[in-house]
Amino acid sequence: MLDANLKTQLKAYLEKVTQPIEIVASLDDGAKSREMQELLQEIVLLSDRITLVEHRDTKNARSPSFKLNRPGTDISVEFAAIPMGHEFTSLVLALLQVGGHPIKLDDKVIEQIKNLDGDYSFETYVSLTCQNCPEVVQALNVMSIINPRIRSVTIDGSLFQGEVEQRQIMAVPTIYMNGEVFGQGRTGVEEILARLDTGAAARKGEELSAKDPYDVLIVGGGPAGAAAAIYAARKGIRTGVVAERFGGQVLDTLAIENFVSVKETEGPHFATALEQHVREYEVDIMNTQRAESLVAGDKLIEVKLANGGVLKGKTVILSTGARWREVNVPGEREYRNHGVAYCPHCDGPLFKGKRVSVIGGGNSGVEAAIDLAGIVSHVTLLEFAAELKADAVLVKKLKSLSNVTIVTSAQTTEITGDGKKVNGISYKERETGEIKHVELEGVFVQIGLVPNTEWLKGTVALSKHGEIEIDARGQTSIPGVFAAGDVTTVPFKQIVIAVGAGATASLSAFDHLIRSSVDEVAPAAKEAVAA
């Protein structure tokens, strides 16, 4: 299963293992068990500290599966999956961490995990094509290694479709805790801790409020925010970044092929590189924090957070980005994650062999339809306009696929369901007014972005589309408050443009600081001369 190059790399990693690892595999007579067995046997051959024990267990509801145990301890991590694809990194990290390699978390976070008082059993349903799933898997795995009262099992939804059907799972990652739904979507250690440790948010709020004012406080950790932080820190001024999740929407992007000088990469890898670059400088990164309001004072600007904390800055750069736009029709919110999805790369495998619809005929919609056509039985693409808006090369590819139906001049009117999950979509033919209904199991919404500015209403000037209005320097309607990236009126929402805009806003903020300091000194100088 592992090619020679991958074996060489894995062998080098496994040399860092200091504690013995026992792999206990539960196998049956199926093809997937043989595939898992082959993978595990190859791993064992790469390190003399790893042993394999096989159990033939045809009654186990989760065969094939395997556990990574540290003998003589309660430390254990379980995979009901063949963790290749995006989850191969999760497997490597689990091997290293179970094998005694130091865990790269802040000491305070590790102590907080150790002190959790409770028994927690997590089940995380993933797909191997999901770029958001590894963060959840790795977070829960590392927490289970730190605190044995936490148990974690990673389940490949396509491998255990019976469970997926029984639990009505139609989006990944989906997390169960002690048998109940805990959460869905990308989530990290700090977010999970905040849910389990109910007093953590208030303590964090107090901690953040005690921080001294920043010269530049950046709200948002996507490409624009990262660029702004780097440019500010290089000026030697006090810089802080507060973000819900560092990386922003890039974390939900699969392929990036148009960032100049980077021929090809994936969103999560790009986001990791952004954060690593920012951490090369003295930047205070405050992750998993939601901004709720902006208050501009005479000298300082305050950003109030959801946990009650208040951060202060002499200047502020707003780079909160955008999110997927909703269709806003009956059934969309009711069936979100129960047939309504926004990430075809993540959730597509859960609809294998089923019928789905894609709403949107731009590049993202057409690309989604092309990808899904290789997994599902049939794709119906609905586009509001009279023709598809995607690039010609994509449209040509889409039209060549036999299991795709393209419907233009179609206004989506309703997403229908049986109370538990999606069972169809209705649309109006704009030319005739006739309402039509298509029976299907999934709907993927791909109709563009909406800026994350609800928290700013009544403060900075916003366009009719809710975007922050800026000038060529990134200045907003409030002196000392700048903005950059997809959250602004910049006409093209591209990573490379956001990065440039972040640099512009940062340089403008620095210029504002210089001019403000001169203005403050000038009156004092005049008074001294007069005396």
Side-chain angles (χ1 to χ4, degrees):
M1 288 193 63
L2 304 177
D3 61 32
N5 185 48
L6 205 53
K7 286 181 181 179
T8 300
Q9 293 180 33
L10 182 55
K11 184 177 177 62
Y13 279 120
L14 294 178
E15 288 175 357
K16 301 176 182 179
V17 168
T18 60
Q19 300 291 325
I21 301 171
E22 180 185 65
I23 304 177
V24 180
S26 176
L27 306 172
D28 55 30
D29 297 325
K32 288 299 181 180
S33 279
R34 291 193 293 273
E35 192 175 333
M36 179 179 287
Q37 182 184 44
E38 180 184 350
L39 172 63
L40 298 179
Q41 289 175 346
E42 289 181 354
I43 291 172
V44 168
L45 292 175
L46 299 177
S47 173
D48 57 8
R49 291 186 179 272
I50 303 176
T51 57
L52 174 62
V53 177
E54 298 180 11
H55 294 299
R56 310 302 294 186
D57 190 354
T58 56
K59 295 181 181 180
N60 189 337
R62 290 195 185 131
S63 289
S65 64
F66 66 93
K67 293 182 179 180
L68 304 178
N69 299 329
R70 185 186 297 174
T73 74
D74 293 330
I75 293 173
S76 180
V77 170
E78 184 175 359
F79 289 90
I82 303 171
M84 300 300 290
H86 288 292
E87 292 300 344
F88 185 69
T89 300
S90 301
L91 172 61
V92 175
L93 284 173
L95 285 165
L96 290 174
Q97 292 161 351
V98 171
H101 192 65
I103 291 170
K104 294 182 179 179
L105 284 178
D106 185 85
D107 289 342
K108 290 183 179 179
V109 174
I110 292 175
E111 194 63 25
Q112 189 179 355
I113 295 170
K114 286 180 179 178
N115 292 334
L116 285 173
D117 186 19
D119 294 299
Y120 307 100
S121 178
F122 287 98
E123 301 164 290
T124 306
Y125 290 86
V126 305
S127 72
L128 301 185
T129 59
C130 169
Q131 69 268 29
N132 291 322
C133 295
E135 181 175 355
V136 180
V137 170
Q138 292 163 24
L140 289 171
N141 283 351
V142 76
M143 290 176 70
S144 72
I145 292 167
I146 294 169
N147 184 342
R149 295 182 71 180
I150 299 171
R151 290 305 200 194
S152 174
V153 55
T154 301
I155 306 161
D156 179 1
S158 65
L159 203 57
F160 297 94
Q161 291 184 337
E163 282 189 51
V164 168
E165 292 289 341
Q166 182 182 3
R167 283 181 157 176
Q168 301 287 317
I169 295 168
M170 305 188 79
V172 289
T174 291
I175 311 164
Y176 276 74
M177 185 186 78
N178 297 340
E180 301 292 332
V181 175
F182 179 79
Q184 292 175 315
R186 192 182 189 101
T187 258
V189 169
E190 293 184 7
E191 293 165 286
I192 296 169
L193 266 177
R195 295 275 304 277
L196 300 179
D197 185 354
T198 54
R203 294 197 303 272
K204 189 66 176 180
E206 293 176 1
E207 177 187 326
L208 295 177
S209 295
K211 290 180 179 286
D212 292 333
Y214 296 92
D215 293 312
V216 177
L217 175 61
I218 300 153
V219 186
I230 290 168
Y231 269 74
R234 286 175 63 86
K235 294 294 184 181
I237 57 180
R238 179 168 161 75
T239 304
V241 176
V242 58
E244 282 195 61
R245 53 175 189 161
F246 203 98
Q249 194 189 4
V250 167
L251 292 165
D252 302 323
T253 304
L254 186 61
I256 298 173
E257 299 176 350
N258 57 358
F259 191 83
V260 181
S261 82
V262 179
K263 184 176 179 181
E264 182 180 356
T265 187
E266 293 182 350
H269 295 161
F270 189 82
T272 298
L274 286 176
E275 184 171 357
Q276 289 174 342
H277 195 172
V278 172
R279 290 189 183 278
E280 289 292 315
Y281 299 92
E282 292 185 9
V283 176
D284 188 3
I285 296 178
M286 296 157 280
N287 208 1
T288 69
Q289 302 300 321
R290 178 191 290 270
E292 285 201 335
S293 65
L294 180 77
V295 180
D298 292 336
K299 293 185 178 181
L300 294 176
I301 302 152
E302 293 185 347
V303 174
K304 296 185 177 181
L305 306 176
N307 60 14
V310 179
L311 296 171
K312 297 170 283 293
K314 297 176 183 177
T315 62
V316 167
I317 297 174
L318 305 171
S319 58
T320 47
R323 63 187 183 276
W324 291 115
R325 185 179 299 277
E326 296 179 351
V327 189
N328 289 321
V329 298
E332 180 180 17
R333 293 194 176 183
E334 293 88 333
Y335 293 107
R336 178 176 294 173
N337 296 325
H338 294 282
V340 175
Y342 298 84
C343 180
H345 303 294
C346 300
D347 301 330
L350 298 177
F351 294 85
K352 183 178 181 180
K354 297 180 180 180
R355 301 161 297 177
V356 303
S357 174
V358 173
I359 303 175
N363 280 348
S364 61
V366 171
E367 287 175 347
I370 292 170
D371 289 345
L372 289 166
I375 301 171
V376 304
S377 64
H378 190 270
V379 180
T380 300
L381 186 143
L382 302 179
E383 165 56 36
F384 183 83
E387 58 184 34
L388 301 181
K389 297 171 288 185
D391 295 342
V393 63
L394 294 174
V395 173
K396 182 179 179 181
K397 172 64 176 177
L398 182 70
K399 290 181 176 179
S400 73
L401 302 175
S402 60
N403 64 335
V404 175
T405 298
I406 301 170
V407 184
T408 55
S409 298
Q411 180 181 351
T412 303
T413 57
E414 184 180 8
I415 297 171
T416 62
D418 61 7
K420 294 183 178 180
K421 58 183 179 179
V422 166
N423 63 17
I425 190 168
S426 297
Y427 66 92
K428 180 173 71 174
E429 288 188 341
R430 295 178 58 221
E431 295 179 357
T432 65
E434 182 181 357
I435 299 293
K436 293 194 172 183
H437 183 77
V438 180
E439 293 183 356
L440 42 72
E441 290 75 42
V443 176
F444 289 83
V445 180
Q446 301 281 290
I447 56 172
L449 305 171
V450 59
N452 296 316
T453 55
E454 289 83 0
W455 66 288
L456 293 169
K457 289 180 179 178
T459 53
V460 297
L462 304 176
S463 72
K464 63 180 182 180
H465 300 296
E467 299 165 322
I468 301 172
E469 294 182 345
I470 57 171
D471 63 16
R473 298 169 62 85
Q475 174 69 59
T476 71
S477 59
I478 299 177
V481 178
F482 302 84
D486 288 1
V487 74
T488 72
T489 49
V490 63
F492 305 109
K493 315 301 186 186
Q494 297 290 314
I495 295 173
V496 69
I497 292 173
V499 168
T504 297
S506 190
L507 293 172
S508 297
F510 181 68
D511 184 66
H512 178 86
L513 288 169
I514 294 174
R515 293 176 185 276
S516 297
S517 63
V518 171
D519 291 341
E520 290 175 3
V521 170
K526 289 180 180 179
E527 291 176 9
V529 171

